Amino acid sequence: MTTATGLSACCVTGHLHEGTPTGVVEKITDLDVYVSRPKDGSKAKTILFVSDIFGWDTPNARLLADEYATAGFYVYVPDFFKGDNISHDMLQTIAPREPHNRSTLQVTEDNAKTMATFGPWVTRQRESVVKPLMNEFIKYLRTDPLTGKIGAVGFCWGGRYALVLAGEGSVDAAVSNHPAMASEADVLAITKPTQINVGTNDIFLPNETVDQFKAALAEKKADLPFEINVFQDAVHGFAVRGDISNPKEKENKEASANATIRWFNKYLA
């Protein structure tokens, strides 16, 4: 069940991944930024990584950024929340990973906890606050003569912003992973090559809505490269918060990462 904020308890489920990030932290446009560089250090294909609500410093985000860097991309993961991300502890404590298998009482309790946390947070991190930070960061990237094309990849909360950036054309390509609070208008506004990755069990994007997005894009954006990949049995957050000890969830997570790399190799070249 989605709360009045547009977010749900499903947003706060998932697993922290294990591993040692290999990037560095820098200060850019007055933001803390995790930077992961490709082996050759080239910025020819640059990725702006827009995190989910848990922020820039989860091991999941950093390890995935490293994966992109290993594939040849120069990756920036800015702290657009300025330290005000949702606590990582809530990954495990607020709600179960199977939101559909809950009693009515559990749903009520989960939504009450979610509202208490997300209502104030969504207000603090509203678009009028965070979007100017993104604009300034992209402007900084564009002033670097070594930076080539720029792609935006976003997850959940950040997934919608990847669509927004593709809509205004401030990036050269975008990948939106299980976007939260994205509307058909956000999808149809895209002006740059855009890929959307979503699961069949994503409570934010029901299968019927995904089908509507596909049909609308095919009709109104036929001349623009776009792709919607649907991953069987994947839940909201699977591309960054999936349980990689589960073979199917690991498969979906890796497949979405490979799809992202393929898309950016094609459209950031």
Side-chain angles (χ1 to χ4, degrees):
M1 180 180 295
T2 303
T3 70
T5 64
L7 296 170
S8 80
C10 190
C11 262
V12 293
T13 64
H15 288 259
L16 289 176
H17 297 163
E18 295 183 356
T20 303
T22 57
V24 297
V25 174
E26 299 181 2
K27 202 79 168 181
I28 301 173
T29 65
D30 201 35
L31 297 175
D32 289 321
V33 184
Y34 179 77
V35 181
S36 192
R37 303 180 178 90
K39 187 175 182 180
D40 63 3
S42 172
K43 298 180 180 179
K45 295 183 292 184
T46 291
I47 291 178
L48 172 62
F49 188 120
V50 188
S51 75
D52 61 16
I53 59 178
F54 299 103
W56 72 302
D57 60 348
T58 61
N60 302 34
R62 295 186 176 192
L63 292 169
L64 189 52
D66 292 347
E67 189 172 344
Y68 297 153
T70 298
F73 301 93
Y74 201 104
V75 188
Y76 297 90
V77 190
D79 178 16
F80 288 126
F81 304 145
K82 293 190 171 183
D84 185 32
N85 54 276
I86 297 297
S87 171
H88 304 166
D89 292 342
M90 293 182 65
L91 277 164
Q92 303 290 2
T93 59
I94 285 292
R97 294 198 66 255
E98 298 181 351
H100 299 290
N101 297 329
R102 295 177 295 169
S103 67
T104 301
L105 178 59
Q106 286 176 314
V107 170
T108 301
E109 291 177 348
D110 289 345
N111 284 342
K113 294 175 183 177
T114 300
M115 282 295 293
T117 301
F118 287 113
W121 185 87
V122 168
T123 299
R124 294 193 304 272
Q125 300 299 336
R126 58 193 179 276
E127 187 165 344
S128 62
V129 173
V130 298
K131 186 57 169 53
L133 301 179
M134 296 181 192
N135 295 344
E136 184 180 4
F137 196 87
I138 293 172
K139 182 179 179 180
Y140 162 83
L141 295 181
R142 293 295 188 192
T143 61
D144 184 346
L146 298 178
T147 299
K149 290 187 175 181
I150 301 171
V153 61
F155 302 83
C156 306
W157 178 92
R160 176 181 174 268
Y161 280 101
L163 295 174
V164 170
L165 295 173
E168 65 186 22
S170 59
V171 296
D172 300 294
V175 175
S176 174
N177 292 289
H178 34 76
M181 300 177 288
S183 67
E184 185 172 315
D186 292 325
V187 173
L188 289 179
I190 60 172
T191 62
K192 297 294 182 179
T194 300
Q195 177 188 88
I196 299 173
N197 297 313
V198 64
T200 57
N201 294 342
D202 190 321
I203 64 172
F204 283 107
L205 286 178
N207 296 324
E208 297 79 6
T209 302
V210 174
D211 290 340
Q212 291 169 7
F213 285 178
K214 287 181 178 179
L217 283 168
E219 177 185 356
K220 299 181 180 180
K221 295 286 183 176
D223 296 331
L224 181 69
F226 71 87
E227 179 177 289
I228 298 181
N229 300 312
V230 180
F231 294 81
Q232 189 64 37
D233 300 325
V235 299
H236 187 73
F238 77 94
V240 71
R241 301 198 301 270
D243 179 4
I244 57 177
S245 69
N246 178 300
K248 181 61 176 177
E249 292 195 34
K250 181 179 181 181
E251 177 186 343
N252 282 332
K253 183 263 182 189
E254 292 179 347
S256 64
N258 289 336
T260 298
I261 289 167
R262 170 179 54 79
W263 193 257
F264 283 148
N265 270 328
K266 184 173 183 178
Y267 292 108
L268 298 185

